[in-house]
Amino acid sequence: MKSSMLLACGTAIVMTLAASTAMAAGDAKKGEKVFKKCKACHTVDEGGKNKIGPNLFGVVGKKAGTHDGFKYSKAMKEADITWDAATLDAFLKKPKKYLKGTKMSFAGLKKDSQRQNVIAYLETLK
């Protein structure tokens, strides 16, 4: 009896983790739409120009503050951050809280789903 309960609990945990991982992946198409909020300051074309913010093509997996030709804040240049889903999520939620001294003036994306979708979109830019 106990082993079947443990099996059922274990299965439920695995299914919950799988579902949360799938949700965390986001929807790149929806993320592209949300990214329109970012286009005033960022471009995403390969080899594209910098604007008020750096070009974000290939940003996922890149060390923060290293895009050629963009003048980063001291805080961003000195940050020991590699942009992945977790760091992007935290930064996009409240940039100035996540990295004190950043030049990014955007207040952030409050909705988890919007952040996850934007991250999924950024992950397609390779």
Side-chain angles (χ1 to χ4, degrees), residues 48-122:
K49 66 179 185 169
N50 295 319
K51 293 170 91 176
I52 294 170
N55 175 284
L56 297 178
F57 185 88
V59 72
V60 178
K62 194 171 189 179
K63 183 170 176 6
T66 61
H67 183 75
D68 288 339
F70 186 77
K71 188 174 180 175
Y72 288 96
S73 65
K74 182 178 178 184
M76 188 65 76
K77 287 190 286 189
E78 293 177 355
D80 187 22
I81 299 169
T82 298
W83 296 120
D84 61 18
T87 55
L88 283 166
D89 183 59
F91 183 72
L92 292 172
K93 186 173 185 176
K94 288 191 177 182
K96 289 192 178 288
K97 182 177 180 184
Y98 181 76
L99 184 63
K100 299 204 185 312
T102 183
K103 293 192 313 186
M104 187 156 147
S105 60
F106 184 65
L109 295 171
K110 292 180 183 178
K111 293 182 181 179
D112 290 341
S113 61
Q114 287 184 331
R115 292 192 310 276
Q116 295 307 313
N117 292 340
V118 167
I119 293 165
Y121 171 62
L122 293 173

Side-chain angles (χ1 to χ4, degrees), residues 24-50:
D27 181 319
K29 289 255 186 228
K30 289 180 181 177
E32 186 173 10
K33 289 178 185 175
V34 175
F35 190 82
K36 289 179 183 181
K37 297 178 181 189
C38 312
K39 284 190 170 190
C41 299
H42 298 280
T43 61
V44 292
D45 299 321
E46 185 173 9
K49 66 179 185 169
N50 295 319

